Short mmCIF file of all heavy atoms in Angstrom, two decimals:
data_model
loop_
_atom_site.label_atom_id
_atom_site.label_comp_id
_atom_site.label_asym_id
_atom_site.label_seq_id
_atom_site.Cartn_x
_atom_site.Cartn_y
_atom_site.Cartn_z
N SER A 1 0.85 -1.20 0.00
CA SER A 1 0.00 0.00 0.00
C SER A 1 0.88 1.24 0.00
O SER A 1 2.06 1.19 0.35
CB SER A 1 -0.90 0.00 1.24
OG SER A 1 -0.12 0.22 2.41
N ASP A 2 0.31 2.36 -0.37
CA ASP A 2 1.03 3.63 -0.35
C ASP A 2 1.54 3.94 1.05
O ASP A 2 2.64 4.45 1.23
CB ASP A 2 0.15 4.77 -0.84
CG ASP A 2 -0.15 4.69 -2.33
OD1 ASP A 2 0.56 3.95 -3.05
OD2 ASP A 2 -1.09 5.38 -2.77
N GLU A 3 0.74 3.61 2.05
CA GLU A 3 1.12 3.85 3.43
C GLU A 3 2.33 2.99 3.83
O GLU A 3 3.26 3.47 4.48
CB GLU A 3 -0.06 3.54 4.35
CG GLU A 3 0.18 3.84 5.79
CD GLU A 3 -1.07 3.58 6.59
OE1 GLU A 3 -1.93 4.48 6.64
OE2 GLU A 3 -1.17 2.47 7.16
N THR A 4 2.33 1.74 3.42
CA THR A 4 3.45 0.85 3.72
C THR A 4 4.73 1.35 3.04
O THR A 4 5.80 1.36 3.65
CB THR A 4 3.14 -0.59 3.28
OG1 THR A 4 2.00 -1.04 4.02
CG2 THR A 4 4.31 -1.52 3.53
N VAL A 5 4.61 1.79 1.82
CA VAL A 5 5.77 2.33 1.10
C VAL A 5 6.29 3.56 1.83
O VAL A 5 7.51 3.72 1.99
CB VAL A 5 5.40 2.65 -0.36
CG1 VAL A 5 6.52 3.41 -1.06
CG2 VAL A 5 5.07 1.38 -1.13
N ALA A 6 5.40 4.43 2.29
CA ALA A 6 5.83 5.62 3.02
C ALA A 6 6.53 5.24 4.32
O ALA A 6 7.55 5.85 4.68
CB ALA A 6 4.62 6.52 3.31
N LEU A 7 6.02 4.25 5.03
CA LEU A 7 6.67 3.81 6.26
C LEU A 7 8.05 3.21 5.99
O LEU A 7 9.00 3.47 6.72
CB LEU A 7 5.79 2.78 6.99
CG LEU A 7 4.56 3.35 7.67
CD1 LEU A 7 3.62 2.23 8.10
CD2 LEU A 7 4.97 4.20 8.87
N LEU A 8 8.16 2.43 4.93
CA LEU A 8 9.47 1.88 4.55
C LEU A 8 10.44 3.00 4.21
O LEU A 8 11.60 2.99 4.64
CB LEU A 8 9.32 0.94 3.35
CG LEU A 8 8.73 -0.43 3.65
CD1 LEU A 8 8.38 -1.15 2.35
CD2 LEU A 8 9.69 -1.25 4.47
N GLU A 9 9.98 3.97 3.44
CA GLU A 9 10.85 5.09 3.07
C GLU A 9 11.29 5.85 4.32
O GLU A 9 12.46 6.22 4.45
CB GLU A 9 10.16 6.03 2.10
CG GLU A 9 11.05 7.15 1.65
CD GLU A 9 10.46 8.00 0.55
OE1 GLU A 9 9.29 7.79 0.16
OE2 GLU A 9 11.18 8.88 0.07
N SER A 10 10.38 6.08 5.24
CA SER A 10 10.71 6.79 6.46
C SER A 10 11.77 6.03 7.26
O SER A 10 12.74 6.62 7.74
CB SER A 10 9.45 6.98 7.30
OG SER A 10 9.73 7.68 8.48
N ALA A 11 11.61 4.71 7.39
CA ALA A 11 12.58 3.91 8.13
C ALA A 11 13.95 3.90 7.44
O ALA A 11 14.99 3.99 8.11
CB ALA A 11 12.06 2.49 8.29
N ILE A 12 13.95 3.83 6.13
CA ILE A 12 15.22 3.82 5.38
C ILE A 12 15.89 5.19 5.50
O ILE A 12 17.11 5.28 5.69
CB ILE A 12 14.98 3.41 3.92
CG1 ILE A 12 14.55 1.94 3.87
CG2 ILE A 12 16.23 3.64 3.07
CD1 ILE A 12 13.98 1.50 2.54
N LEU A 13 15.13 6.26 5.41
CA LEU A 13 15.70 7.59 5.60
C LEU A 13 16.31 7.73 6.99
O LEU A 13 17.39 8.28 7.15
CB LEU A 13 14.63 8.66 5.38
CG LEU A 13 14.23 8.92 3.94
CD1 LEU A 13 12.92 9.70 3.87
CD2 LEU A 13 15.34 9.68 3.20
N LEU A 14 15.61 7.22 7.98
CA LEU A 14 16.12 7.26 9.35
C LEU A 14 17.44 6.51 9.45
O LEU A 14 18.40 6.99 10.05
CB LEU A 14 15.08 6.67 10.30
CG LEU A 14 15.41 6.66 11.78
CD1 LEU A 14 15.59 8.08 12.28
CD2 LEU A 14 14.31 5.95 12.55
N TRP A 15 17.51 5.33 8.85
CA TRP A 15 18.73 4.53 8.88
C TRP A 15 19.91 5.28 8.24
O TRP A 15 21.05 5.12 8.65
CB TRP A 15 18.49 3.21 8.16
CG TRP A 15 19.70 2.32 8.17
CD1 TRP A 15 20.55 2.09 7.13
CD2 TRP A 15 20.20 1.57 9.27
NE1 TRP A 15 21.55 1.23 7.51
CE2 TRP A 15 21.35 0.90 8.84
CE3 TRP A 15 19.79 1.41 10.59
CZ2 TRP A 15 22.10 0.07 9.67
CZ3 TRP A 15 20.53 0.58 11.42
CH2 TRP A 15 21.66 -0.08 10.94
N HIS A 16 19.61 6.10 7.26
CA HIS A 16 20.66 6.85 6.56
C HIS A 16 20.84 8.25 7.13
O HIS A 16 21.34 9.15 6.44
CB HIS A 16 20.35 6.90 5.05
CG HIS A 16 20.61 5.59 4.37
ND1 HIS A 16 21.85 5.22 3.93
CD2 HIS A 16 19.78 4.56 4.09
CE1 HIS A 16 21.78 4.01 3.38
NE2 HIS A 16 20.54 3.60 3.48
N ASP A 17 20.44 8.47 8.36
CA ASP A 17 20.68 9.70 9.12
C ASP A 17 19.91 10.92 8.62
O ASP A 17 20.29 12.05 8.91
CB ASP A 17 22.18 10.03 9.16
CG ASP A 17 23.02 8.92 9.78
OD1 ASP A 17 22.49 8.17 10.60
OD2 ASP A 17 24.20 8.82 9.42
N HIS A 18 18.82 10.73 7.90
CA HIS A 18 18.00 11.84 7.42
C HIS A 18 16.78 11.97 8.33
O HIS A 18 15.65 11.63 7.96
CB HIS A 18 17.60 11.62 5.96
CG HIS A 18 18.77 11.44 5.05
ND1 HIS A 18 19.68 12.46 4.82
CD2 HIS A 18 19.19 10.37 4.35
CE1 HIS A 18 20.60 12.01 3.98
NE2 HIS A 18 20.34 10.75 3.69
N LEU A 19 17.04 12.44 9.56
CA LEU A 19 16.01 12.44 10.59
C LEU A 19 14.83 13.35 10.26
O LEU A 19 13.67 12.96 10.47
CB LEU A 19 16.63 12.86 11.93
CG LEU A 19 17.85 12.06 12.38
CD1 LEU A 19 18.34 12.57 13.72
CD2 LEU A 19 17.56 10.59 12.43
N ASP A 20 15.08 14.55 9.78
CA ASP A 20 13.99 15.48 9.49
C ASP A 20 13.07 14.94 8.40
O ASP A 20 11.84 15.02 8.51
CB ASP A 20 14.52 16.85 9.08
CG ASP A 20 15.18 17.59 10.24
OD1 ASP A 20 14.86 17.27 11.41
OD2 ASP A 20 16.00 18.48 9.98
N GLU A 21 13.65 14.39 7.35
CA GLU A 21 12.86 13.86 6.25
C GLU A 21 12.04 12.64 6.70
O GLU A 21 10.87 12.50 6.37
CB GLU A 21 13.76 13.48 5.07
CG GLU A 21 14.41 14.68 4.40
CD GLU A 21 15.69 15.16 5.09
OE1 GLU A 21 16.06 14.65 6.17
OE2 GLU A 21 16.31 16.09 4.54
N ALA A 22 12.66 11.77 7.49
CA ALA A 22 11.95 10.60 8.02
C ALA A 22 10.80 11.02 8.92
O ALA A 22 9.68 10.49 8.82
CB ALA A 22 12.92 9.70 8.79
N HIS A 23 11.06 12.00 9.76
CA HIS A 23 10.04 12.50 10.67
C HIS A 23 8.84 13.07 9.92
O HIS A 23 7.69 12.81 10.26
CB HIS A 23 10.66 13.57 11.58
CG HIS A 23 9.71 14.15 12.56
ND1 HIS A 23 9.14 15.38 12.39
CD2 HIS A 23 9.23 13.65 13.72
CE1 HIS A 23 8.34 15.63 13.42
NE2 HIS A 23 8.38 14.59 14.24
N GLY A 24 9.13 13.84 8.88
CA GLY A 24 8.05 14.44 8.11
C GLY A 24 7.11 13.42 7.48
O GLY A 24 5.90 13.63 7.40
N ILE A 25 7.67 12.30 7.05
CA ILE A 25 6.84 11.25 6.42
C ILE A 25 6.02 10.51 7.47
O ILE A 25 4.80 10.40 7.35
CB ILE A 25 7.73 10.28 5.63
CG1 ILE A 25 8.35 10.98 4.43
CG2 ILE A 25 6.92 9.05 5.19
CD1 ILE A 25 9.41 10.17 3.71
N CYS A 26 6.68 9.99 8.49
CA CYS A 26 5.95 9.14 9.44
C CYS A 26 4.96 9.93 10.29
O CYS A 26 3.95 9.38 10.73
CB CYS A 26 6.90 8.33 10.30
SG CYS A 26 7.90 9.30 11.44
N GLN A 27 5.21 11.21 10.49
CA GLN A 27 4.29 12.02 11.29
C GLN A 27 2.93 12.18 10.59
O GLN A 27 1.92 12.38 11.24
CB GLN A 27 4.90 13.38 11.56
CG GLN A 27 4.14 14.19 12.57
CD GLN A 27 4.88 15.45 12.96
OE1 GLN A 27 5.78 15.90 12.27
NE2 GLN A 27 4.51 16.02 14.08
N ARG A 28 2.90 12.04 9.27
CA ARG A 28 1.65 12.19 8.53
C ARG A 28 0.83 10.90 8.49
O ARG A 28 -0.29 10.90 7.98
CB ARG A 28 1.94 12.64 7.10
CG ARG A 28 2.46 14.06 7.00
CD ARG A 28 2.55 14.55 5.56
NE ARG A 28 3.50 13.79 4.76
CZ ARG A 28 4.77 14.13 4.57
NH1 ARG A 28 5.25 15.21 5.13
NH2 ARG A 28 5.55 13.40 3.81
#
């Protein structure tokens, strides 16, 4: 689902030290 893809992207961004970008996705 689009939501699952967004959660995966957020987790991957977090793993790669992109905290602000990850936060923006998962907060929505």
Side-chain angles (χ1 to χ4, degrees):
S1 70
D2 290 344
E3 184 176 276
T4 299
V5 171
L7 287 168
L8 285 169
E9 183 173 5
S10 181
I12 293 166
L13 285 164
L14 182 61
W15 181 256
H16 286 276
D17 302 333
H18 303 295
L19 307 181
D20 291 337
E21 293 83 355
H23 181 257
I25 293 171
C26 66
Q27 190 172 19
R28 291 188 296 266

